[in-house]
Amino acid sequence: MLLTLAAERRVLFLGGKGGVGKTTVASAVALAAARGGRRALVVSTDPAHNLGHLWGQKIGDRATPLGDGAGGLLMGLEIDPDATTDRHLKDVAHTLKRLMPENLAGEVDKHMDLSRRSPGTHEAAVLERMTELVETGLREYDLVVFDTAPSGHTARLMALPEVMTAWTDGLLKRRDKSAKLGAAMRGLDGDRGKTLLGSTAPRDPIEERDDEIRSILLRRRDRLAGLREVLVDAELSSFAIVLAAERLPVLETIELHEELTRTGVDIGALIVNKRSPAGRGEFLERRRALEEEHLATLRAALPHVPLQEVPLGEEDVVGPAALERFAALL
């Protein structure tokens, strides 16, 4: 079921509670896509990266061939939140210093240092990086699979494009009102804007700065709006929630589904990982019966979302061969 969902989408997000196997599922889906001839990129957004451990190799913030590279079709990338934040703040500082008087350069540096420790800075930086990867992914890959951070972090991140687009629109509206007021005030000065020869006086440097700020805000808004269009396009992207058949993961899945649905994200599948086998002794039978109770709660709360169960395996899933065996279960 999950492989079918991935085959019908260009962008697939895997989310859920920590420790339920999101990285394993994401890697298996991307590997299966690559084995099927599609160019695939799997991206880890979780600060506690497990992608490199799973594949038994070093993976950084640049696209890296995974395993044998599936004939060069499979790549992996781990977003580095600290490095991403540093690049983000460096770009912002460069822009501010260019737009502000030189004597305020020191104040800009102080502000950036404070911003690095401010709530939301990492999320904004990671969102910028995800936007880049979605844009690049749609150009260069057939499928991009995002292995996301635990539920709460992911829900906030998925809601950010809408929130930040609205916030940027608010800034632009206030900027336009300020510009109109400034123009009206200058109009009261009559012909002071004319030279003795009747030609228009050179533009005010402040006006030029404000126009550039507006241009920067517009570009940012358009990029975020583009990301949101991808997130809410059910034919282009989807979100699969991975969980264990336990009380807390089930309850967290129901909450995550509600939050993501509220932001317009399509929930294409529920993947119940590490399902206890049947007919394997009294202990596992009791365990499976308890899991059935929790899954009954999940099915009652989310009856319309396709649900797939993946059995508990006898081995650790590490490396391409194990991932291929795991992918056969999806």
Side-chain angles (χ1 to χ4, degrees):
M1 181 181 73
L2 184 59
L3 296 186
T4 300
L5 180 68
E8 296 171 348
R9 303 294 191 277
R10 296 288 309 284
V11 182
L12 182 66
F13 295 88
L14 276 295
K17 188 174 176 61
V20 295
K22 296 186 298 295
T23 304
T24 301
V25 175
S27 294
V29 168
L31 178 59
R35 293 294 190 217
R38 301 178 76 195
R39 294 166 298 172
L41 172 68
V42 57
V43 179
S44 172
T45 71
D46 190 345
H49 294 300
N50 290 314
L51 196 60
H53 298 305
L54 180 66
W55 285 90
Q57 65 181 84
K58 184 175 178 58
I59 301 171
D61 199 42
R62 293 187 177 184
T64 304
L66 294 180
D68 61 4
L73 296 177
L74 179 61
M75 309 291 280
L77 186 150
E78 294 177 336
I79 294 178
D80 184 333
D82 291 329
T84 299
T85 300
D86 288 341
R87 286 195 300 270
H88 174 73
L89 293 177
K90 183 178 179 180
D91 290 342
V92 172
H94 175 74
T95 301
L96 287 176
K97 287 179 180 179
R98 185 163 49 83
L99 297 174
M100 298 181 72
E102 291 185 11
N103 63 312
L104 293 179
E107 295 301 317
V108 171
D109 290 334
K110 290 179 183 178
H111 179 71
M112 291 299 101
D113 188 53
L114 289 172
S115 296
R116 182 174 281 101
R117 297 187 290 271
S118 298
T121 298
H122 273 57
E123 285 87 348
V126 171
L127 182 66
E128 292 272 1
R129 184 74 172 115
M130 282 181 60
T131 303
E132 293 174 5
L133 290 171
V134 167
E135 292 171 348
T136 302
L138 291 175
R139 287 196 309 268
E140 301 178 5
Y141 296 89
D142 300 306
L143 176 67
V144 182
V145 182
F146 283 94
D147 166 31
T148 69
S151 304
H153 177 86
T154 297
R156 291 193 300 272
L157 195 63
M158 300 295 276
L160 268 180
E162 181 178 12
V163 172
M164 293 183 69
T165 299
W167 179 76
T168 304
D169 280 338
L171 283 180
L172 287 166
K173 288 178 181 178
R174 286 192 289 274
R175 163 67 188 84
D176 289 343
K177 287 181 180 179
S178 176
K180 289 178 181 177
L181 179 60
M185 292 296 292
R186 286 190 297 274
L188 295 177
D189 290 337
D191 293 333
R192 290 179 59 187
K194 302 287 186 177
T195 66
L196 292 176
L197 296 177
S199 60
T200 303
R203 289 193 67 194
D204 188 334
I206 295 179
E207 286 184 27
E208 294 182 350
R209 182 201 64 188
D210 288 350
D211 284 345
E212 186 166 357
I213 291 174
R214 187 177 192 280
S215 177
I216 291 170
L217 289 173
L218 282 170
R219 287 198 300 271
R220 182 184 181 85
R221 184 199 63 184
D222 291 344
R223 290 194 74 192
L224 290 172
L227 176 60
R228 173 155 176 75
E229 287 178 6
V230 172
L231 294 179
V232 301
D233 186 342
E235 295 184 357
L236 187 62
S237 70
S238 191
F239 198 105
I241 304 177
V242 184
L243 69 147
E246 300 171 2
R247 180 175 179 273
L248 291 181
V250 164
L251 294 177
E252 195 165 305
T253 295
I254 295 170
E255 292 178 358
L256 179 59
H257 177 275
E258 181 181 353
E259 293 181 31
L260 292 175
T261 301
R262 192 163 52 239
T263 64
V265 175
D266 172 65
I267 311 298
L270 304 173
I271 308 300
V272 183
N273 195 22
K274 305 177 185 178
R275 186 74 160 91
S276 295
R280 297 291 185 90
E282 184 180 350
F283 172 80
L284 286 178
E285 283 297 327
R286 288 202 304 269
R287 180 69 200 173
R288 187 175 177 86
L290 181 61
E291 292 176 358
E292 285 291 354
E293 293 180 18
H294 297 313
L295 291 183
T297 300
L298 182 66
R299 292 188 181 98
L302 307 175
H304 304 300
V305 183
L307 186 147
Q308 181 174 11
E309 298 181 18
V310 180
L312 178 66
E314 298 179 352
E315 62 177 3
D316 289 336
V317 182
V318 179
L323 281 167
E324 287 205 58
R325 290 192 291 273
F326 184 85
L329 304 173
L330 297 176

